[in-house]
Amino acid sequence: MNSPSGPIVKPQNIGIIIVDSSAYTRSLLVERIARIENCFLHAHENLELLDSVRLPSVSGILVLNHHTTDTPPFAFLSRLKQDHPTLHVLVIVSPGVEKRNFEPLRQAGLVDALFEKPIVPDALAKHVEEEVRRQSQTRHLATEHLNLLRFLPTGGLRRIFNQPEPGHAELFDMSVMFTDIRDSSRHIAQSSAQDYFARLNRILGEQARLIRTYDGMVVKTTGDGLLAVFEGAARCHLALKCAHAMQASPPIDEIQIGIGISDGLVLTGLLGTHEHMHFDVIGTHVHLASRLCSLAQGGEILATQDVASRARFEFSSAPISETIQVRGFATPVACAHIQPQIKELS
Amino acid sequence: MKSQFTDTQLSHILDQSLIYQCACPAQVAKHIIGLRDLFAYQQGCLNQTDTDVAVHQRIATDAQRAHAALEECLHAVLVLEQWDMPTLRMPASLQKSPRII
């Protein structure tokens, strides 16, 4: 499943379609089922008026009161279940021959429930209520799942979540990127906390969007910046291209950022307890990317020379190589200063 | 099995009532259908011993008697409630707060 990119999704009420060719019995059904919560009703006189393909996607239940004089609905129900396999089809039918005609449909899964006339209204209502509750829960879970995917790893990293146990970890070859706002203390001092927070959210939101665009994954926000990772054979190229796109964009509200990138084996996993877990990445290259980010000037990308070489990226201005003694690392690290030219706003 | 009402007629009576609480003829119709099913089932039962034969015959005979009695009952009830006998249409006065949707 792809990660969602649209707005946050909200669960919807369950649509119930009532089909009954008799106005009288249709009114009885509507009257009773209308009392059920979290649903809305559509009542129809016959199935021919229903377009199986154009049925609203929120439709969850079809209640068909079949009369002896009605056209047999078998072909329609078969088509309906093909188009809407999750639709719960409930048929009310006379006992005896009429019911026996519907039994094969129930056995084939085209009808989910058969009610014999005369019905006990409370039993029918209870069945529909339970189905509404079941579908609401399913939709709620699906919605939650869709919304949670925004916070979860993409690509191969997702397999971490196949074993959602605290402490479960795996090694991945990854490019690690840190971004950080320069002079954040000054910016905070110059504006209200709320205003700064709103600007920070705009900046980080735009960075996250670019990271997604270049197939990266935001691991977490780090106060004034982000920690992101990129996987796969083209990870260095994608990470650098992403960083380049960030720095080449005119800075939001004149706020500049620094970016650090490193590449290598990183331990990824779930930290915490069963009550609270979060995904994180740990390793030398995470530290290195973080240090390089701190050292980068505003508007600059400071990557390891290894990343710059493997990226096979066409830089707008030639990178400046420098060997830097990075705090916490025994040997100096060959690095590349990259300063993309800011694109003019069209 | 002799019958006054066809299966379709019984279903038609049931179709018009829907709900148990306001469907006395429908309840009778339902039991008539049940007796027809019971009778048909006995006809199809295996007879391996003499006792089997006697059991199935006894049930079939009594099902027929009960069926005839309930059909008479249904006819009487429909007349009492002033159903239109040729079409077996329920009188509008028996409909429970009809509401056209």
Side-chain angles (χ1 to χ4, degrees):
Chain A
M1 190 178 202
N2 289 329
S3 296
S5 54
I8 299 292
V9 189
K10 290 178 183 168
Q12 291 171 299
N13 280 350
I14 307 295
I16 301 178
I17 302 160
I18 295 173
V19 183
D20 189 333
S21 56
S22 155
Y24 168 57
T25 49
R26 188 163 72 244
S27 76
L28 294 177
L29 282 174
V30 168
E31 192 180 39
R32 186 61 191 86
I33 294 175
R35 295 182 217 161
I36 297 170
E37 290 181 344
N38 303 322
C39 63
F40 60 90
L41 304 186
H42 285 292
H44 295 271
E45 192 178 338
N46 60 49
L47 286 171
E48 281 84 51
L49 296 177
L50 273 182
D51 186 345
S52 165
V53 178
R54 290 188 186 167
L55 219 59
S57 60
V58 288
S59 308
I61 303 170
L62 172 79
V63 178
L64 168 65
N65 182 18
H66 179 71
H67 293 254
T68 318
T69 47
D70 292 345
T71 311
F74 310 135
F76 180 85
L77 290 178
S78 172
R79 206 167 53 245
L80 188 69
K81 270 287 187 178
Q82 265 181 0
D83 294 336
H84 306 276
T86 59
L87 187 75
H88 184 83
V89 178
L90 184 160
V91 178
I92 305 165
V93 69
S94 289
V97 180
E98 289 288 328
K99 191 183 176 192
R100 281 198 290 277
N101 287 339
F102 276 88
E103 279 295 352
L105 273 77
R106 180 159 65 170
Q107 282 162 16
L110 300 178
V111 169
D112 298 288
L114 271 180
F115 273 75
E116 221 176 71
K117 294 178 197 179
I119 56 165
V120 178
D122 284 347
L124 177 88
K126 194 179 170 200
H127 179 92
V128 175
E129 258 170 9
E130 277 173 8
E131 185 57 26
V132 167
R133 196 165 30 248
R134 191 193 66 77
Q135 290 194 17
S136 297
Q137 277 174 352
T138 306
R139 284 191 191 176
H140 185 74
L141 283 175
T143 306
E144 266 192 352
H145 178 240
L146 202 63
N147 287 331
L148 281 171
L149 282 178
R150 296 162 202 275
F151 307 101
L152 293 180
T154 50
L157 281 175
R158 184 158 287 165
R159 76 166 185 260
I160 290 286
F161 286 80
N162 292 340
Q163 281 177 270
E165 287 292 318
H168 172 62
E170 288 188 36
L171 275 170
F172 284 91
D173 264 321
M174 290 196 288
S175 291
V176 184
M177 174 202 281
F178 271 91
T179 71
D180 193 49
I181 288 176
R182 296 288 93 111
D183 289 332
S184 55
S185 305
R186 182 172 59 84
H187 291 299
I188 292 168
Q190 283 176 352
S191 56
S192 72
Q194 266 191 333
D195 180 49
Y196 180 73
F197 195 85
R199 283 194 286 168
L200 180 65
N201 192 47
R202 272 205 308 279
I203 293 165
L204 298 186
E206 177 57 17
Q207 289 179 9
R209 189 189 66 77
L210 284 169
I211 289 163
R212 288 276 189 202
T213 302
Y214 291 99
D215 293 337
M217 180 215 150
V218 177
V219 176
K220 60 185 172 187
T221 56
T222 56
D224 295 330
L226 292 176
L227 162 59
V229 289
F230 296 77
E231 286 180 274
R235 61 184 184 273
C236 291
H237 178 84
L238 289 168
L240 211 49
K241 204 167 180 180
C242 177
H244 200 272
M246 284 179 190
Q247 296 294 36
S249 309
I252 295 173
D253 296 334
E254 304 296 315
I255 295 177
Q256 289 199 310
I257 59 164
I259 300 176
I261 305 175
S262 179
D263 183 87
L265 271 180
V266 172
L267 192 65
T268 70
L270 300 169
L271 292 173
T273 63
H274 279 108
E275 287 72 34
H276 176 82
M277 276 188 267
H278 72 272
F279 176 75
D280 214 338
V281 293
I282 295 166
T284 314
H285 291 280
V286 179
H287 284 292
L288 182 56
S290 171
R291 299 272 187 247
L292 294 182
C293 180
S294 307
L295 293 169
Q297 300 296 309
E300 186 181 68
I301 303 161
L302 186 54
T304 59
Q305 188 60 55
D306 174 49
V307 169
S309 308
R310 288 167 57 191
R312 298 174 184 274
F313 188 75
E314 240 177 75
F315 299 100
S316 53
S317 54
I320 301 162
S321 299
E322 186 189 5
T323 302
I324 301 172
Q325 184 62 56
V326 181
R327 188 160 58 89
F329 288 80
T331 52
V333 181
C335 294
H337 294 266
I338 303 155
Q339 287 177 324
Q341 288 167 354
I342 295 171
K343 286 178 195 160
E344 292 293 322
L345 277 177
S346 59
Chain B
M1 184 186 252
K2 281 184 183 174
S3 57
Q4 281 189 54
F5 297 95
T6 64
D7 284 345
T8 309
Q9 284 176 319
L10 294 175
S11 292
H12 187 54
I13 291 167
L14 281 153
D15 281 343
Q16 292 174 82
S17 310
L18 183 69
I19 292 176
Y20 215 86
Q21 282 87 333
C22 53
C24 294
Q27 290 177 38
V28 180
K30 184 183 174 178
H31 287 290
I32 293 171
I33 291 171
L35 285 169
R36 287 180 187 183
D37 285 346
L38 176 64
F39 180 78
Y41 185 80
Q42 296 307 315
Q43 302 287 85
C45 269
L46 285 175
N47 290 322
Q48 288 177 334
T49 64
D50 290 346
T51 309
D52 284 349
V53 174
V55 165
H56 298 146
Q57 272 179 355
R58 177 63 198 249
I59 294 173
T61 306
D62 284 356
Q64 271 182 305
R65 283 173 49 208
H67 178 265
L70 275 187
E71 281 209 326
E72 277 305 315
C73 170
L74 177 62
H75 187 272
V77 167
L78 293 176
V79 170
L80 277 172
E81 286 193 344
Q82 297 180 331
W83 286 54
D84 180 47
M85 293 310 284
T87 59
L88 289 177
R89 229 183 135 81
M90 180 197 267
S93 59
L94 290 180
Q95 294 185 348
K96 186 191 165 196
S97 332
R99 193 154 49 97
I100 307 301
I101 303 297

